[in-house]
């Protein structure tokens, strides 16, 4: 039977639990940090010495933790790419710029259990020899920024942060930096540019991989809020135990943002791959099903940039035919089905949904949020939005469906510096491909109406002349 498994949210939703440090300490807060700082160097079987920092990095690698921000890249592997030989300082940035439409999980952590994020950051910084870190928080979350600053002050007062943390000799400072409301700052190099005080134009990779040339051209780690929280639990239980949660290559838990036409929209924490899309939508423990008298029409499985699934679709997964609602909610299954889990935001649409209007809303967002650096993205996102605006304002054309696909196909594929090109084109490609008849019908109806309006009235027949 499908059910929640609360690891990160274990305390946050308990009655009486608050964001204050004393409450966090009563629930075992900062015990993982104390455990990490008490670690001693160990001798490996090959005779080499492993430092406490190397041990933690290995535990994260063993855990199989994948990034919870969208790409699902191995956290341990990302850490392993950091240039530790350049002599430059290493920085860590927490990406709290949660801007993907349909996503509202990270703010639950920030507002309800901020010290868990701070502890996860301190542990990650310790493991990677970082002495200065930043929390880059979305500009539309001013209360979250104030709360995090307050919690950082509490942590400093207890010597969990600052100089000589808990007498260990380790120094670390963390600062909160508020963004200005730009979706592109969710992209790690655009975020770094913004943090440096510049226009948030994403950087070209290579050569500007953050692990080598990041903040101020120094090695930099950028991890998502939920990802960093998991580090606290990996240190507490060990990488091997953490890897037992979830499924192979999809370990641990994920917090799913569920919205749209379900009875119980909200956020739910589940073991990765142990729950299907159908269960998340219909099970009473989660979405509770659709509204009365409605049928499922479409599902966006990973935030608005993920390719849409059509109700009734079937996919070939590992040689087996799997119905869309039976897809395990994990990284790999959704990729094999042609979409992605992205920011783990599921948007449910029932048969009352105007698909053309829904896509027009998404396209307008991406046209507005393009940074404008790359021509295919800057121009293409706007063209698609304009075409969809026509279709939703009575000016559509029968050929608009093919026109949209032609534009969308010419944006991604290495033509842009960052993945925003894919983010704006994937919804158009998938919506039009799977619901093309609705786009064609709307365009044809508009053309027929306009033709009728512009057809001149028939000339009156001459009056018959009476003969005398």
């Amino acid at each position: 039977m499908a059910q929640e498994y609360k690891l990160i949210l274990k305390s946050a939703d308990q009655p009486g639990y608050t964001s204050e440090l004393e409450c966090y300490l009563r629930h075992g807060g900062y015990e993982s940090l104390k455990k990490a700082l008490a670690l001693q160097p160990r001798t490996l079987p090959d005779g080499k010495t492993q430092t406490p920092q190397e041990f933690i990095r290995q535990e994260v690698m063993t855990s199989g933790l994948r990034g919870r921000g969208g790409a699902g890249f191995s956290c341990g592997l990302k850490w392993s790419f950091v240039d530790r030989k350049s002599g430059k300082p290493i920085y860590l940035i927490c990406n709290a710029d949660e801007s993907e439409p349909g996503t509202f999980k990270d703010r639950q952590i920030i507002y309800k259990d901020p010290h868990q994020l701070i502890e996860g950051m301190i542990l990650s910084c310790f493991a990677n020899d970082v002495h200065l870190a930043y929390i880059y928080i979305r500009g539309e979350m001013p209360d979250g920024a104030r709360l995090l600053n307050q919690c950082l002050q509490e942590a400093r007062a207890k010597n969990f942060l600052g100089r000589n943390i808990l007498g260990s000799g380790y120094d670390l400072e963390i600062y909160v930096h508020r963004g200005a409301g730009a979706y592109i700052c969710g992209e790690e190099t655009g975020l770094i540019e913004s943090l440096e005080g510049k226009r948030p134009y994403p950087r070209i990779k290579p050569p500007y991989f953050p692990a080598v040339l990041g903040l101020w051209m120094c090695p930099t780690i950028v991890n998502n809020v939920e990802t960093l929280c998991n580090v606290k639990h990996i240190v507490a239980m060990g990488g091997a135990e953490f890897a037992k949660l979830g499924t192979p290559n999809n370990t641990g838990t994920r917090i799913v943002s569920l919205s749209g036409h379900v009875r119980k929209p909200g956020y739910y924490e589940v073991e990765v791959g142990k729950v299907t899309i159908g269960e998340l939508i219909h099970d009473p423990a989660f979405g509770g099903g659709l509204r009365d008298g409605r049928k499922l029409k479409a599902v966006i499985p990973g935030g608005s940039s993920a390719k849409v699934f059509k109700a009734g679709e079937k996919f070939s997964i590992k040689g087996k035919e799997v119905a869309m609602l039976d897809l395990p909610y994990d990284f790999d299954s959704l990729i094999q089905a042609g979409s992605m889990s992205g920011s783990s935001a599921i948007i449910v649409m029932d048969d009352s949904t105007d698909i053309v209007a829904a896509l027009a809303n998404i396209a307008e967002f991406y046209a507005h949020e393009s940074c404008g650096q790359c021509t295919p993205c800057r121009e293409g996102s706007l063209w698609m939005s304009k075409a969809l605006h026509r279709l939703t304002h009575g000016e559509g054309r029968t050929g608009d469906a093919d026109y949209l696909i032609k534009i969308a196909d010419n944006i991604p594929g290495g033509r842009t510096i960052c993945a925003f090109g894919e983010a704006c084109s994937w919804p158009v490609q998938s919506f039009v491909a799977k619901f093309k008849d609705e786009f064609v019908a709307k365009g044809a109806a508009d053309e027929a109406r306009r033709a009728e309006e512009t057809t001149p009235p028939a000339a009156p027949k001459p009056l018959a002349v009476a003969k005398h």
Side-chain angles (χ1 to χ4, degrees), residues 298-433:
V299 177
I300 302 177
S304 66
S305 61
K307 290 188 177 182
V308 70
F309 288 148
K310 187 175 182 178
E313 272 195 273
K314 294 183 179 180
F315 310 97
S316 178
I317 308 294
K318 296 179 180 178
K320 296 181 180 179
E321 188 177 75
V322 180
M324 185 266 286
L325 292 179
D326 294 330
L327 279 174
Y329 197 75
D330 62 42
F331 296 97
D332 298 332
S333 297
L334 294 178
I335 290 172
Q336 291 175 46
S339 188
M340 62 179 179
S341 61
S343 58
S344 69
I346 298 176
I347 304 171
V348 181
M349 292 174 275
D350 65 24
D351 56 359
S352 69
T353 304
D354 182 335
I355 286 292
V356 180
L359 181 59
N361 188 41
I362 293 172
E364 183 179 9
F365 170 81
Y366 286 110
H368 180 270
E369 293 299 327
S370 173
C371 77
Q373 184 176 194
C374 306
T375 302
C377 179
R378 179 185 66 244
E379 301 299 326
S381 61
L382 187 59
W383 287 351
M384 292 187 298
S385 182
K386 285 181 176 180
L388 286 158
H389 185 272
R390 283 203 308 265
L391 280 165
T392 53
H393 287 76
E395 298 297 326
R397 308 165 186 170
T398 304
D400 276 342
D402 293 330
Y403 177 69
L404 284 164
I405 290 294
K406 183 178 180 180
I407 299 169
D409 286 350
N410 279 284
I411 300 174
R415 297 180 178 92
T416 57
I417 289 172
C418 82
F420 189 99
E422 281 80 359
C424 71
S425 61
W426 284 339
V428 172
Q429 289 173 324
S430 60
F431 268 79
V432 176

Side-chain angles (χ1 to χ4, degrees), residues 129-152:
D129 304 304
V130 172
H131 298 283
L132 179 59
Y134 294 91
I135 302 173
Y136 188 103
I137 189 168
R138 181 179 176 180
E140 293 89 340
M141 296 167 62
D143 291 338
R146 283 194 290 269
L147 181 57
L148 284 168
N149 274 318
Q150 177 184 327
C151 291
L152 288 171

Side-chain angles (χ1 to χ4, degrees), residues 65-77:
L65 175 65
R66 295 171 69 168
R68 299 321 198 220
F73 191 77
S74 165
C75 180
L77 197 56

Side-chain angles (χ1 to χ4, degrees), residues 42-375:
R42 61 183 67 193
T43 303
L44 300 177
D46 60 3
K48 294 182 180 179
T49 300
Q50 184 184 55
T51 67
Q53 290 86 348
E54 290 170 335
F55 172 74
I56 295 173
R57 294 201 297 268
Q58 183 57 50
E59 287 295 286
V60 171
M61 185 74 81
T62 301
S63 74
L65 175 65
R66 295 171 69 168
R68 299 321 198 220
F73 191 77
S74 165
C75 180
L77 197 56
K78 177 182 273 193
W79 288 7
S80 74
F81 293 152
V82 172
D83 181 2
R84 307 180 193 278
K85 298 178 180 179
S86 66
K88 297 179 181 179
I90 301 170
Y91 299 103
L92 184 141
I93 305 171
C94 169
N95 185 346
D97 192 73
E98 186 174 54
S99 304
E100 179 75 9
T103 313
F104 45 87
K105 63 183 180 64
D106 288 346
R107 71 199 66 189
Q108 306 302 327
I109 299 168
I110 291 170
Y111 285 109
K112 295 182 177 181
D113 203 1
H115 277 286
Q116 180 178 192
L117 169 59
I118 293 170
E119 184 176 10
M121 284 188 69
I122 298 170
L123 286 163
S124 300
C125 289
F126 175 70
N128 288 285
D129 304 304
V130 172
H131 298 283
L132 179 59
Y134 294 91
I135 302 173
Y136 188 103
I137 189 168
R138 181 179 176 180
E140 293 89 340
M141 296 167 62
D143 291 338
R146 283 194 290 269
L147 181 57
L148 284 168
N149 274 318
Q150 177 184 327
C151 291
L152 288 171
Q153 289 178 359
E154 291 178 337
R156 290 186 194 102
K158 290 285 188 179
N159 195 218
F160 296 127
L161 194 61
R163 290 190 176 278
N164 193 25
I165 296 174
L166 298 179
S168 65
Y170 174 61
D171 302 334
L172 172 67
E173 193 49 84
I174 299 175
Y175 296 105
V176 175
H177 181 95
R178 287 186 62 194
Y183 172 85
I184 197 64
C185 288
E187 197 279 335
E188 59 183 4
T189 61
L191 183 157
I192 290 170
E193 286 283 296
S194 174
L195 190 55
E196 290 181 353
K198 295 179 283 186
R199 187 184 291 253
Y201 279 166
R203 298 173 178 175
I204 296 174
K205 296 185 286 187
Y208 298 106
F209 290 109
V212 180
L213 297 171
L215 186 63
W216 300 306
M217 293 296 112
C218 294
T220 304
I221 295 167
V222 184
N223 284 135
N224 166 265
V225 170
E226 186 183 353
T227 309
L228 291 167
C229 288
N230 275 293
V231 175
K232 160 194 161 70
H233 300 286
I234 291 169
V235 172
M237 68 174 66
E241 283 300 309
F242 183 91
K244 293 178 182 178
L245 297 174
T247 53
N249 203 42
N250 294 271
T251 60
T253 66
R254 288 203 80 178
I255 305 172
V256 179
S257 305
L258 181 65
S259 64
H261 299 148
V262 290
R263 293 179 182 274
K264 292 168 54 184
Y267 58 93
Y268 302 94
E269 187 173 6
V270 299
E271 287 189 72
V272 185
K274 292 288 186 71
V275 181
T276 65
I277 291 178
E279 288 169 332
L280 286 166
I281 294 172
H282 294 292
D283 196 283
F286 301 106
L290 305 178
R291 301 174 296 179
D292 288 339
R294 291 297 179 187
K295 295 180 180 179
L296 184 65
K297 187 170 186 176
V299 177
I300 302 177
S304 66
S305 61
K307 290 188 177 182
V308 70
F309 288 148
K310 187 175 182 178
E313 272 195 273
K314 294 183 179 180
F315 310 97
S316 178
I317 308 294
K318 296 179 180 178
K320 296 181 180 179
E321 188 177 75
V322 180
M324 185 266 286
L325 292 179
D326 294 330
L327 279 174
Y329 197 75
D330 62 42
F331 296 97
D332 298 332
S333 297
L334 294 178
I335 290 172
Q336 291 175 46
S339 188
M340 62 179 179
S341 61
S343 58
S344 69
I346 298 176
I347 304 171
V348 181
M349 292 174 275
D350 65 24
D351 56 359
S352 69
T353 304
D354 182 335
I355 286 292
V356 180
L359 181 59
N361 188 41
I362 293 172
E364 183 179 9
F365 170 81
Y366 286 110
H368 180 270
E369 293 299 327
S370 173
C371 77
Q373 184 176 194
C374 306
T375 302

